C-alpha cells in the first residue's frame, strides 16, 4: 500500500505529464491551424491568379468533355463555368471550325502540341476568335486528357483583317496608279503628237486649202482632247481635296440638253448612229436652280462615253419628271458593260478593259467625277446595261424651280442654230485682257459679229476708257491681270457704271473664282477657253 506522500508525488508526476501532453497538443493544434491558414492563403492566391488571368485555363478528358474551366469563360462567352463543365467542348465551337478543332484535339492526345486559332460561340450565338495552346494532362503518370490555356483574340483578328484589306487596297491602288500613269502618258502624248506633228506639216509651202483645213481640224481636236484630260485631272484632284463647292444659279435644263446635242451632232453624224434628245418639260418651265457647270460636265461625260462606246444604232438622251426629281438618261446601243464591271466603273481610274492592248482611250475619271458631282447636287447616278446590247446611264436631280420666267423659247431658237449670224454692230465691247494671244483670239472671234471692240491691257486701262467714254454696253473682263485685277475692276465699274453687262472670263476649273466674281459685281461668267456660241448667245440674250 502506497503511502499518502507517495500517492501525492505520483499525482504530481501525472499532472506534469498531462500538462506537457496538453502543451504538445496545443502546439500541434496551433501548428495545424497555421498550416491550414497557409494552405487556404495559398489556395486563395492561386484562385485569384487564375481568376485574374485574361487567359482561361481548362482541362478536358480524353473524350473532349470539359472537366475544369476557369471563371473567365463567362467574360468571353457569357456561359458560367457550371454551364460548360461536363459538356463536350465542341458544343461551344463555331460550326465551321468543329472539324478542325477535333483534328487538333486528337493531335494533342497523340503528343503533338502547337498553338492554334478558332472561333467559339457565345451564349448569344456570336462567334469570338480565340487562340489556344494545350498539352497532355497526366495524373500519377497516366494520361487523363488535355490541359490548356485559351485567350480571346477577336480584336486582334479584326485588326489583322483590316490590315490585310488595307494591304490589298494599297496593292490595288499601286496597280491603278501605274495603269493611270501609263494611260496619262498616252492621253497626253497622243494629242501632243497631233498638235506638234500637224503644226509642222502646216509649214509645207505647197499645201492645198483642203489639206490645211484638215490639219487645222486635227490640231483643234487634239487640243480639245488635251483640255478634256486636264479638266478631268483638275476635277478629280479638287474632289479628292474636298475643295468643291456648289454654285447654284438659274439653269434652263432644256438649253443644256440642246446645247450638248448640237455640240456632239457633227461628231455623231459621221457615223451610222441615230442621235436624238428628249426634254421632259416645256421650255418655259425648264428653269431650275442648280449648278449649271456641274450638270454640263456630267451630261457631257456621259454622252461622250455613249458616242465613244457605240459603233452603230441609236443614242438618245434627255430627262423625265419622276416624283420631285428630274430623271436624266443617256441610252446607247453600244458595246454594253458586264454586271461585274458595272460595280467598278464609278471608281476612279477603273475601266472595263484595263489591259495594255485596250482599244479605247480615256483615264477612267469621267464617271467618278460625274458621281461626285451628282451626289453633291443631291442626286443619284447608276447604270443599267447588257453586254453587246447597250447601256443606259441614269441620274436624278432634285427639282428646285426658278421663280423667274425666262424668254426660254427665244434662247432655244438660237441654240438650235449655232451657225446663226450674230449682229452686234450697235454694240461696243470692252475687253480687259493682258495676254496678247487671248486678245487676238477674242478679236478674231468677235469679228464676224461686227461688234466694235475696245481692248484694254489691264483693269486700270479699262476704267480709264470708261471714265472718258459712254459707248460700252458689255465688258468682258479677265480675272487675273496686272496693275488692277478683274475683281477690283468689276467693283469699280459696278459702282459707277450700273448699266454695263459685266462678264467675267474665268478658267473653267476655278469654281471659287466664279463665286467671288458674282460677289464683286459680275453679271455672268464665261469659261476659258471661250466658246464663241456661248458668248454670243449670252450677249444677245442680255443686251437685246
Ligand atoms: P473613260 O471613258 O475615260 O475610260 P469613264 O470614267 O468615263 O472613263 O468610264 C469608265 C469606264 O466605263 C470606261 O472605260 C468604259 O469601260 C465604261 N463605260 C462608260 N460608259 C460606257 C458606255 N456608254 N458603254 C460601254 N462602256 C462604258
Amino acid at each position: 500500500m502506497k503511502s499518502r506522500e507517495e500517492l501525492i508525488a505520483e499525482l504530481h508526476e501525472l499532472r506534469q505529464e498531462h500538462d506537457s501532453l496538453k502543451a504538445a497538443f496545443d502546439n500541434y493544434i496551433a501548428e495545424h491551424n497555421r498550416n491550414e491558414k497557409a494552405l487556404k492563403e495559398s489556395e486563395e492566391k492561386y484562385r485569384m491568379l487564375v481568376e485574374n488571368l485574361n487567359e482561361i485555363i481548362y482541362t478536358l478528358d480524353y473524350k473532349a468533355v470539359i472537366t475544369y474551366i476557369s471563371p473567365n469563360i463567362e467574360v468571353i462567352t457569357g456561359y458560367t463555368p457550371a454551364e460548360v463543365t461536363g459538356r463536350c467542348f465542341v458544343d461551344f465551337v463555331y460550326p465551321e471550325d468543329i472539324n478542325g478543332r477535333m483534328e487538333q484535339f486528337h493531335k494533342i492526345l497523340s503528343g503533338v502540341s502547337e498553338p492554334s486559332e478558332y472561333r467559339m460561340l457565345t451564349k448569344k450565338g456570336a462567334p469570338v476568335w480565340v487562340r489556344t495552346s494545350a498539352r497532355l494532362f497526366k495524373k500519377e503518370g497516366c494520361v487523363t486528357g488535355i490541359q490548356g490555356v485559351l485567350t480571346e483574340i477577336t480584336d486582334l483578328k479584326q485588326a489583322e483583317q483590316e490590315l490585310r484589306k488595307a494591304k490589298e487596297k494599297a496593292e490595288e491602288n499601286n496597280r491603278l496608279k501605274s495603269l493611270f500613269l501609263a494611260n496619262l502618258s498616252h492621253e497626253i502624248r497622243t494629242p501632243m503628237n497631233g498638235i506638234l506633228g500637224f503644226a509642222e506639216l502646216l509649214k509645207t509651202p505647197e499645201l492645198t486649202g483642203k489639206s490645211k483645213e484638215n490639219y487645222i481640224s486635227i490640231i483643234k481636236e487634239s487640243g480639245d482632247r488635251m483640255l478634256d484630260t486636264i479638266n478631268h485631272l483638275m476635277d478629280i484632284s479638287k474632289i479628292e481635296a474636298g475643295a468643291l463647292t456648289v454654285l447654284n444659279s438659274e439653269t434652263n435644263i432644256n438649253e443644256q440638253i440642246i446645247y450638248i446635242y448640237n455640240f456632239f451632232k457633227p461628231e455623231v453624224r459621221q457615223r451610222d448612229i441615230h442621235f436624238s434628245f428628249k426634254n421632259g418639260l416645256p421650255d418655259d418651265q425648264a428653269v431650275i436652280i442648280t449648278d449649271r457647270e456641274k450638270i454640263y460636265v456630267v451630261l457631257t461625260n456621259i454622252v461622250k462615253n455613249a458616242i465613244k462606246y457605240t459603233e452603230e444604232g441609236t443614242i438618245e438622251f434627255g430627262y423625265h419628271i419622276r416624283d420631285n426629281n428630274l430623271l436624266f438618261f443617256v441610252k446607247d446601243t453600244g458595246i454594253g458593260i458586264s454586271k461585274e464591271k458595272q460595280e467598278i466603273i464609278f471608281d476612279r481610274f477603273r475601266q472595263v478593259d484595263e489591259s495594255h492592248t485596250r482599244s479605247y482611250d480615256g483615264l477612267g475619271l469621267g464617271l467618278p467625277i460625274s458621281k461626285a458631282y451628282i451626289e453633291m447636287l443631291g442626286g443619284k447616278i447608276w447604270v443599267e446595261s447588257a453586254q453587246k446590247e447597250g447601256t443606259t446611264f441614269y441620274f436624278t436631280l432634285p427639282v428646285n424651280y426658278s421663280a423667274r420666267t425666262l424668254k426660254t423659247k427665244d434662247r432655244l431658237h438660237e441654240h438650235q442654230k449655232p451657225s446663226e449670224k450674230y449682229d452686234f454692230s450697235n454694240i461696243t465691247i470692252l475687253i480687259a485682257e493682258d495676254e496678247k494671244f487671248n486678245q487676238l483670239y477674242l478679236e478674231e472671234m468677235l469679228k464676224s459679229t461686227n461688234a466694235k471692240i475696245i481692248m484694254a491691257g489691264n483693269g486700270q486701262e479699262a476704267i480709264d476708257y470708261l471714265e472718258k467714254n459712254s459707248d460700252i454696253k458689255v465688258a468682258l473682263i479677265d480675272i487675273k491681270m496686272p496693275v488692277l485685277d478683274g475683281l477690283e475692276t468689276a467693283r469699280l465699274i459696278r459702282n459707277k457704271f450700273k448699266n454695263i453687262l459685266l462678264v467675267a472670263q474665268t478658267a473653267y476649273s476655278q469654281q471659287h473664282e466664279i463665286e467671288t466674281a458674282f460677289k464683286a459685281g459680275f453679271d455672268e461668267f464665261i469659261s476659258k477657253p471661250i466658246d464663241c456660241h456661248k458668248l454670243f448667245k449670252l450677249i444677245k440674250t442680255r443686251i437685246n
Side-chain angles (χ1 to χ4, degrees):
M1 181 94 167
K2 285 182 184 168
S3 66
R4 188 174 174 265
E5 284 75 24
E6 277 173 340
L7 279 172
I8 288 173
E10 216 169 284
L11 192 65
H12 187 70
E13 242 170 61
L14 274 173
R15 185 165 292 148
Q16 271 184 342
E17 207 170 311
H18 167 262
D19 286 349
S20 78
L21 271 175
K22 186 173 181 296
F25 181 74
D26 285 350
N27 262 349
Y28 170 79
I29 293 294
E31 175 92 17
H32 175 82
N33 284 347
R34 268 200 304 279
N35 282 345
E36 196 159 286
K37 193 171 166 228
L39 195 68
K40 261 196 183 150
E41 275 173 5
S42 159
E43 253 181 34
E44 180 72 3
K45 202 160 94 192
Y46 283 109
R47 196 177 59 77
M48 294 261 290
L49 259 176
V50 169
E51 281 177 10
N52 287 326
L53 271 179
N54 280 335
E55 285 77 12
I56 291 160
I57 293 168
Y58 63 90
T59 56
L60 306 181
D61 69 10
Y62 62 93
K63 285 185 188 153
V65 170
I66 300 167
T67 46
Y68 169 78
I69 195 140
S70 55
N72 255 1
I73 187 68
E74 194 174 353
V75 179
I76 297 180
T77 63
Y79 290 109
T80 62
E83 284 173 307
V84 294
T85 310
R87 286 176 63 184
C88 183
F89 89 98
V90 291
D91 291 351
F92 306 98
V93 174
Y94 190 68
E96 276 175 33
D97 296 352
I98 289 178
N99 286 346
R101 275 334 294 153
M102 283 315 289
E103 260 173 45
Q104 194 72 21
F105 178 70
H106 289 118
K107 254 188 187 175
I108 299 166
L109 280 183
S110 67
V112 182
S113 153
E114 58 194 23
S116 57
E117 292 171 0
Y118 65 100
R119 282 162 294 180
M120 287 185 77
L121 265 184
T122 66
K123 203 169 180 176
K124 289 184 177 156
V128 275
W129 274 100
V130 292
R131 176 182 294 143
T132 183
S133 59
R135 59 189 175 85
L136 288 176
F137 184 42
K138 290 182 186 165
K139 232 181 196 173
E140 291 153 14
C142 288
V143 175
T144 56
I146 68 169
Q147 64 182 5
V149 180
L150 206 121
T151 320
E152 195 203 343
I153 54 161
T154 307
D155 288 350
L156 211 73
K157 273 280 171 191
Q158 257 164 15
E160 197 181 292
Q161 265 165 14
E162 273 159 27
L163 214 67
R164 193 176 308 122
K165 268 194 214 146
K167 182 173 166 270
E168 281 165 11
K169 183 108 187 94
E171 281 166 0
E172 172 70 353
N173 280 347
N174 206 19
R175 186 184 74 79
L176 287 176
K177 196 184 81 192
S178 309
L179 188 76
F180 167 70
L181 287 177
N183 287 350
L184 184 62
S185 162
H186 175 82
E187 285 304 304
I188 289 176
R189 278 170 204 275
T190 315
M192 214 49 195
N193 278 344
I195 294 168
L196 296 178
F198 284 94
E200 192 61 36
L201 283 179
L202 276 179
K203 288 187 196 159
T204 318
E206 62 276 11
L207 207 61
T208 64
K210 198 159 187 314
S211 305
K212 203 186 253 178
E213 232 175 69
N214 198 13
Y215 292 175
I216 289 171
S217 77
I218 293 174
I219 291 173
K220 185 177 176 311
E221 263 172 43
S222 306
D224 285 346
R225 185 165 158 193
M226 194 95 126
L227 196 64
D228 254 13
T229 303
I230 292 166
N231 284 341
H232 273 175
L233 290 173
M234 294 298 289
D235 288 348
I236 202 79
S237 54
K238 275 197 268 166
I239 290 168
E240 305 228 320
L244 278 186
T245 46
V246 174
L247 187 68
N248 282 333
S249 61
E250 288 187 340
T251 304
N252 189 313
I253 294 296
N254 287 11
E255 279 189 16
Q256 294 270 310
I257 298 276
I258 293 165
Y259 184 84
I260 288 167
Y261 173 76
N262 282 328
F263 184 84
F264 286 111
K265 201 162 64 177
E267 189 180 337
V268 183
R269 202 181 284 144
Q270 294 163 5
R271 301 216 242 135
D272 197 8
I273 295 174
H274 181 256
F275 187 42
S276 60
F277 68 88
K278 198 172 251 166
N279 285 335
L281 281 171
D283 298 341
D284 54 355
Q285 288 171 31
V287 183
I288 64 164
I289 307 287
T290 191
D291 189 323
R292 192 189 313 161
E293 283 294 318
K294 291 198 176 66
I295 301 298
Y296 173 75
V297 170
V298 173
L299 275 171
T300 306
N301 280 341
I302 303 179
V303 172
K304 199 180 268 182
N305 275 347
I307 298 168
K308 186 158 126 189
Y309 298 105
T310 305
E311 279 308 316
E312 55 180 16
T314 56
I315 296 175
E316 191 187 12
F317 74 109
Y319 68 93
H320 309 285
I321 291 284
R322 280 278 178 291
D323 305 323
N324 212 22
N325 282 312
L326 295 182
L327 173 68
F328 286 84
F329 66 92
V330 180
K331 184 178 168 65
D332 68 52
T333 54
I335 59 171
I337 307 167
S338 69
K339 265 262 161 315
E340 114 221 22
K341 296 287 182 182
Q342 287 171 27
E343 286 174 17
I344 59 155
I345 53 170
F346 291 101
D347 293 341
R348 62 200 180 118
F349 310 140
R350 300 306 306 263
Q351 296 171 313
V352 170
D353 184 358
E354 288 174 344
S355 65
H356 289 289
T357 53
R358 70 204 177 96
S359 30
Y360 295 99
D361 298 319
L363 284 176
L365 289 177
L367 291 177
I369 291 169
S370 304
K371 183 170 188 281
Y373 280 8
I374 290 302
E375 286 173 0
M376 272 187 97
L377 301 180
K380 274 202 293 196
I381 184 166
W382 69 97
V383 64
E384 285 173 11
S385 182
Q387 262 178 308
K388 296 194 182 134
E389 284 177 26
T391 305
T392 310
F393 279 92
Y394 293 98
F395 65 90
T396 56
L397 263 192
V399 183
N400 190 2
Y401 288 109
S402 146
R404 206 171 86 185
T405 324
L406 298 177
K407 292 181 200 160
T408 320
K409 283 203 166 87
D410 291 352
R411 291 174 158 208
L412 286 174
H413 194 61
E414 286 156 26
H415 265 305
Q416 276 154 346
K417 296 183 212 156
S419 53
E420 184 194 341
K421 285 259 170 289
Y422 288 83
D423 180 13
F424 297 152
S425 47
N426 58 344
I427 299 177
T428 308
I429 301 175
L430 172 66
I431 297 174
E433 167 67 68
D434 60 317
E435 294 274 348
K436 283 274 169 287
F437 171 80
N438 287 345
Q439 287 183 359
L440 187 68
Y441 175 68
L442 287 167
E443 256 170 357
E444 285 298 318
M445 199 173 70
L446 284 159
K447 221 179 220 168
S448 66
T449 68
N450 294 323
K452 187 178 168 198
I453 293 178
I454 305 296
M455 195 60 76
N458 58 55
Q460 192 53 55
E461 283 180 23
I463 301 282
D464 291 347
Y465 181 87
L466 287 170
E467 300 280 5
K468 294 180 198 131
N469 302 276
S470 57
D471 56 341
I472 301 298
K473 284 196 179 162
V474 182
L476 194 57
I477 294 172
D478 188 21
I479 298 281
K480 287 198 181 73
M481 283 185 296
V483 189
L484 192 66
D485 71 18
L487 295 177
E488 207 41 49
T489 310
R491 275 183 210 112
L492 293 172
I493 296 179
R494 191 75 307 155
N495 275 341
K496 282 193 172 174
F497 314 98
K498 302 259 186 279
N499 294 329
I500 294 176
L501 172 66
L502 276 182
V503 183
Q505 310 173 46
T506 68
Y508 150 76
S509 49
Q510 304 295 307
Q511 286 268 359
H512 63 278
E513 263 191 8
I514 299 168
E515 243 168 60
T516 1
F518 278 132
K519 280 191 199 135
F522 280 105
D523 301 299
E524 290 281 353
F525 66 87
I526 185 120
S527 316
K528 281 182 177 179
I530 289 172
D531 176 329
C532 60
H533 294 299
K534 251 189 182 172
L535 178 64
F536 296 169
K537 181 199 73 173
L538 189 153
I539 295 175
K540 189 172 176 189
T541 325
R542 300 289 301 244
I543 295 295
N544 290 350

